[in-house]
Amino acid sequence: MSRAVVMRFGRRVAGAAVLAGIVLTGTAKAQDADLVRRGAYLKQAADCEVCHTKPGGVPFAGGRAFDLPGIGTLYAPNITPDAETGIGRYTDAQFDSAVRRGVGPGWRHLYPVMPYTSYAKMTAEDVRAIRAYLMSLRPVHAPAPANRVRFPYNIRMAMIGWNLLYRPSGPLSDDPGRSAAWNRGRYLVEAAGHCGECHTPRTMLQALSMTKSYAGATIDGWLAYNISSDVDSGIGAWSDQQLTAYLSTGHADGRGTAVGPMADVVSHSLRFLTPEDVAAMVTYLRSLPARRSDETIGVVSPETLAQLAPIHSNGSRLFAGACAGCHLTDGHGRQVDFAALWGARSLGEIDGRNLVRTMVEGGTLQTVHGAMVMPAFGPEYRNQDLADIANYAISHFGNREGHVTARDVAVARGAGSP
């Protein structure tokens, strides 16, 4: 073979190698882009943004406070790719360990306010995709405030024993005896969506109760409702259409509108899920064992209601002046169904916990039609005024006897006296 032929052959080989490199690089970039897109969807299913964003802060930059009664205050860390204060230096293995095992770099054990006991049921591939998405974000330098944790909970090494007792060993395996929709729904509810972390009460050791799973719990002063299949106190009487609407929009006719933390979950997570995934969640929720809870009581007679909330009561007058503009005096809501009061879960609580918090703090629910805003009641309304409005609404629209006091409103406002 002549030297000229060898040189031409060599150039062709080199050219082919360069072309192969371009193809491989393009394939790798496409795979990375697919991984980021998948991670973007999964981070919504896992609701990462809500917990890792403080009010008014940069998304995912951390700083949100979690007040745990008897334990202290914990702050969500920065999970943007900042190298100093975020996860910029985390490897895939370190990120997976923090998310699914509750152990960060340097053998730093996390507290279960981070729902790693639920994320432990996720697959490693899904967690890697979430990290790929987070690493695509703009880095934000935002150190989280120091946690303020009381003794003995400030002894992080104690979490080693806690994890041995309560952390699942690995991801969920499909149940061959169940449908694909049920298995997908279980993965979204139990693992990625970690619904039990709020809707299940905790034991003295802060583990989720096995005997009261999904029976409702109090989280940061809000009542996360019973979502078991119990007909009276759970969602057993809800239709599939109502469940689907509530999960995907935050409102279900005859059942009310999401408020408080649940409004955040709908706004930043559930409303972005595909119709197939929402349907799968409904399928799984339908299969949850019924757990009885006492968040509501039976309806009272019309005669009793008439005595509880007479038409000229202070609560009815205040409601007509302050609330009827949006909710209407008949409670059907003006212009949008989201303002309807009939059947609202918060009006079925006789102590009005969520109702009072909503009145005091207001709230926002993001929908495909824009933001639905409930304005907060200002200081011009006395605590007794708000208690009167709450009790009137509970009796008039919830058919129950409201037990809200001025003291309850004062506590919700963070004050000490009516």
Side-chain angles (χ1 to χ4, degrees):
M1 185 179 294
S2 69
R3 181 178 179 183
V5 172
V6 170
M7 290 178 66
R8 286 197 299 272
F9 178 75
R11 284 195 294 270
R12 285 199 295 272
V13 171
V18 171
L19 180 60
I22 293 174
V23 172
L24 288 174
T25 301
T27 301
K29 288 183 178 179
Q31 290 175 342
D32 289 344
D34 287 342
L35 190 65
V36 170
R37 280 193 293 270
R38 183 172 166 225
Y41 182 78
L42 288 167
K43 67 87 182 174
Q44 288 170 331
D47 202 17
C48 306
E49 182 176 348
V50 168
C51 288
H52 288 275
T53 306
K54 67 181 180 181
V58 178
F60 304 102
R64 178 169 180 170
F66 293 87
D67 295 318
L68 306 180
I71 296 177
T73 302
L74 302 172
Y75 294 90
N78 180 352
I79 55 172
T80 73
D82 182 67
E84 295 182 4
T85 64
I87 61 169
R89 294 177 180 170
Y90 281 43
T91 65
D92 278 348
Q94 287 174 327
F95 184 79
D96 183 86
S97 176
V99 172
R100 296 201 300 152
R101 297 179 58 236
V103 182
W107 201 243
R108 182 178 174 82
H109 285 73
L110 307 182
Y111 292 105
V113 68
M114 161 66 177
Y116 63 85
T117 54
S118 292
Y119 292 157
K121 302 173 185 177
M122 295 180 68
T123 65
E125 293 77 12
D126 280 355
V127 173
R128 188 167 72 90
I130 291 175
R131 178 178 181 267
Y133 168 77
L134 293 175
M135 293 301 290
S136 74
L137 300 176
R138 179 178 65 86
V140 179
H141 186 85
N147 294 328
R148 301 192 301 271
V149 184
R150 300 181 180 89
F151 179 84
Y153 302 102
N154 59 345
I155 305 175
R156 283 184 178 267
M157 294 306 290
M159 293 306 302
I160 296 176
W162 193 94
N163 288 335
L164 290 173
L165 290 172
Y166 301 116
R167 187 182 65 205
S169 58
L172 292 172
S173 298
D174 282 352
D175 184 340
R178 296 282 193 166
S179 67
W182 185 91
N183 280 298
R184 176 62 175 172
R186 181 177 64 152
Y187 186 80
L188 291 168
V189 171
E190 298 276 356
H194 58 279
C195 304
E197 300 284 343
C198 288
H199 291 278
T200 298
R202 294 185 179 271
T203 66
M204 291 183 62
L205 293 179
Q206 295 301 302
L208 297 180
S209 171
M210 299 298 292
T211 60
K212 297 180 180 179
S213 57
Y214 297 102
T218 300
I219 303 294
D220 193 24
W222 291 87
L223 181 60
Y225 294 122
N226 184 335
I227 57 171
S228 77
S229 58
D230 185 73
V231 174
D232 295 321
S233 56
I235 58 173
W238 291 44
S239 68
D240 286 355
Q241 183 179 7
Q242 287 173 327
L243 279 173
T244 299
Y246 193 86
L247 292 175
S248 56
T249 71
H251 172 81
D253 289 340
R255 300 297 180 184
T257 301
V259 295
M262 190 62 196
D264 287 338
V265 173
V266 174
S267 297
H268 296 281
S269 175
L270 294 177
R271 71 187 180 100
F272 295 103
L273 300 188
T274 64
E276 293 78 13
D277 275 351
V278 173
M281 293 180 70
V282 171
T283 297
Y284 179 71
L285 289 171
R286 286 291 190 208
S287 72
L288 293 176
R291 309 285 191 191
R292 182 75 177 177
S293 60
D294 59 356
E295 62 194 45
T296 62
I297 62 171
V299 298
V300 297
S301 68
E303 293 77 17
T304 302
L305 283 177
Q307 296 174 357
L308 294 173
I311 192 64
H312 298 299
S313 71
N314 186 48
S316 66
R317 288 193 297 271
L318 289 169
F319 183 93
C323 310
C326 291
H327 299 289
L328 299 182
T329 55
D330 62 7
H332 284 97
R334 185 185 298 277
Q335 296 180 332
V336 293
D337 293 335
F338 289 81
L341 296 177
W342 289 105
R345 197 80 176 264
S346 59
L347 298 180
E349 305 170 54
I350 61 173
D351 63 1
R353 181 187 297 273
N354 288 4
L355 175 59
V356 170
R357 287 291 295 269
T358 303
M359 294 169 69
V360 168
E361 299 179 15
T364 301
L365 175 67
Q366 297 290 341
T367 73
V368 294
H369 305 295
M372 302 296 170
V373 179
M374 163 68 183
F377 282 81
E380 64 272 16
Y381 290 92
R382 299 175 304 138
N383 293 337
Q384 187 60 55
D385 290 337
L386 298 192
D388 290 343
I389 294 175
N391 287 325
Y392 170 78
I394 291 170
S395 64
H396 190 66
F397 302 110
N399 292 339
R400 289 167 171 82
E401 180 180 358
H403 293 172
V404 182
T405 67
R407 174 63 178 164
D408 295 331
V409 179
V411 170
R413 281 178 159 171
S417 62

